[in-house]
Amino acid sequence: MRAPRARRSELATPASSERMCEKAPTAGADLVFLDLEDACAPAMKESARSIAVGALTGLNWGRTVRAVRINGIETPWCHGDIIEVVTGAGAALDVLIVPKVRRARDVWWVDVLLTQLETKLGLQRRIGLEVLIEEAEGLSNAAEIARASDRLEAIIFGAGDLSASLRARVDGNFDPLGDYPGDFWHFARVQILAAARGAGIDAIDAPFPAYKDPEGYRRSAMHASLLGYDGKWAIHPDQIAIANEVFAPTDKEVAEAREAMEVYRASEADGVGAIGRDGKLVDAAHMRLAENTLYKASLAGGKPA
């Protein structure tokens, strides 16, 4: 089983831009994906494949997770994206990101093709998958999609296309055009998060197009982090440090988690299953929360690949 990956920040980089691809490995993101889909004009999609392969194989990525977002399976480019990128990059590719997934069979199709390629190429390490939930059909099938393949490592909330699919009235930052009670995207976020957790995989929050609004990005990231999301897309390098900070526990949170576990385990050894600490009840459920905090801290510190 593959070791967990840090995914606090996932940086989008146009695969058609050699200049941007060259800068991406040093941007500080946990994961960088070279984008063959929305960031590439139709005339550039096929030529961008070789640029992506060159960047994956020719640059020093350190501990950064290397990914490529392919075009959707219903497009004329998807098959060629997978064949050319996997054949060209081989072991230099960690993850493929599949957009606009609507049902489990979409994931199955990519999984089967990857299995055939890995066998043919003699690849020793399996390529992981992330999928985007950005269609109404995909949102309604999120739990099924999340369990569709043991390659799946994360599902991503895609607010942009989901807005269009739902016919929502939003602005360019996917915020409602009028007053709305509460968080406009709360239901979708929780449904995707629950699907991810039910399948034991990561949940990644949507991009924030207003890249010159760092405080807005921070608020959006914090909302997702409080719910339990593991990270957020970054469409600009300036957003990376914010995501890395927001989706990692603070030193205070880590210290409190460790102390709570020590106190509880000592009491548990004496046959006590619930204790009072700082005027609050602490029981087994709190230990699960503490374990979550320490787990996320370990990923943020070590960034295991």
Side-chain angles (χ1 to χ4, degrees):
M1 185 173 181
R2 184 187 302 280
R5 308 184 197 268
R7 282 187 166 87
R8 299 167 300 172
S9 54
E10 296 199 351
L11 176 64
T13 303
S16 56
S17 173
E18 291 187 36
R19 179 180 62 85
M20 291 186 180
C21 288
E22 288 173 358
K23 292 182 177 181
T26 60
D30 286 336
L31 178 149
V32 170
F33 68 91
L34 308 181
D35 190 10
L36 294 171
E37 197 210 15
D38 288 349
C40 287
M44 297 294 294
K45 288 185 182 292
E46 294 185 6
S47 61
R49 296 169 186 161
S50 61
I51 297 175
V53 169
L56 292 169
T57 58
L59 300 176
N60 181 7
W61 291 88
R63 299 182 71 86
T64 303
V65 179
R66 303 157 295 182
V68 169
R69 177 165 69 162
I70 60 175
N71 287 280
I73 69 166
E74 296 177 355
T75 71
W77 301 289
C78 180
H79 183 267
D81 288 347
I82 299 173
I83 298 292
E84 291 189 33
V85 170
V86 174
T87 301
L93 176 66
D94 298 315
V95 171
L96 278 183
I97 300 177
V98 187
K100 299 179 177 62
V101 170
R102 298 172 183 269
R103 57 193 77 85
R105 72 183 188 190
D106 298 349
V107 183
W108 175 84
W109 183 86
V110 177
D111 188 345
V112 170
L113 183 53
L114 280 177
T115 298
Q116 294 172 344
L117 282 170
E118 288 165 345
T119 301
K120 178 181 178 180
L121 299 171
L123 298 180
Q124 300 301 308
R125 183 170 53 84
R126 298 181 83 204
I127 296 167
L129 290 177
E130 295 185 8
V131 297
L132 275 151
I133 302 297
E134 49 187 341
E135 298 289 335
E137 185 178 359
L139 184 62
S140 65
N141 292 328
E144 173 191 341
I145 290 168
R147 293 180 172 88
S149 167
D150 60 3
R151 290 182 188 272
L152 263 180
E153 299 181 13
I155 57 176
I156 306 156
F157 168 36
D161 278 290
L162 185 58
S163 298
S165 182
L166 295 174
R167 301 179 188 172
R169 297 179 61 194
V170 297
D171 61 20
N173 208 49
F174 317 134
D175 293 322
L177 288 173
D179 290 335
Y180 186 87
D183 181 352
F184 188 76
W185 290 113
H186 181 75
F187 172 78
R189 270 176 164 158
V190 171
Q191 188 162 346
I192 290 168
L193 176 63
R197 292 294 178 257
I201 60 178
D202 290 340
I204 309 300
D205 194 40
F208 190 85
Y211 62 88
K212 291 188 177 181
D213 180 9
E215 289 310 310
Y217 181 85
R218 181 179 292 276
R219 284 193 302 273
S220 180
M222 182 57 72
H223 291 167
S225 177
L226 291 173
L227 283 173
Y229 272 72
D230 299 285
K232 186 173 180 65
W233 270 17
I235 64 164
H236 191 280
D238 288 347
Q239 296 177 331
I240 293 171
I242 299 173
N244 287 347
E245 175 190 345
V246 169
F247 288 97
T250 64
D251 291 342
K252 181 180 179 181
E253 288 172 328
V254 172
E256 289 181 349
R258 286 176 176 159
E259 181 180 345
M261 290 189 73
E262 289 173 2
V263 172
Y264 182 82
R265 296 307 180 201
S267 297
E268 189 178 45
D270 293 333
V272 179
I275 61 173
R277 178 173 178 266
D278 297 331
K280 299 176 183 177
L281 176 71
V282 177
D283 60 11
H286 293 87
M287 292 305 96
R288 293 179 66 186
L289 292 171
E291 288 168 358
N292 287 342
T293 298
L294 297 180
Y295 171 75
K296 289 190 175 184
S298 71
L299 289 183
K303 293 171 65 175

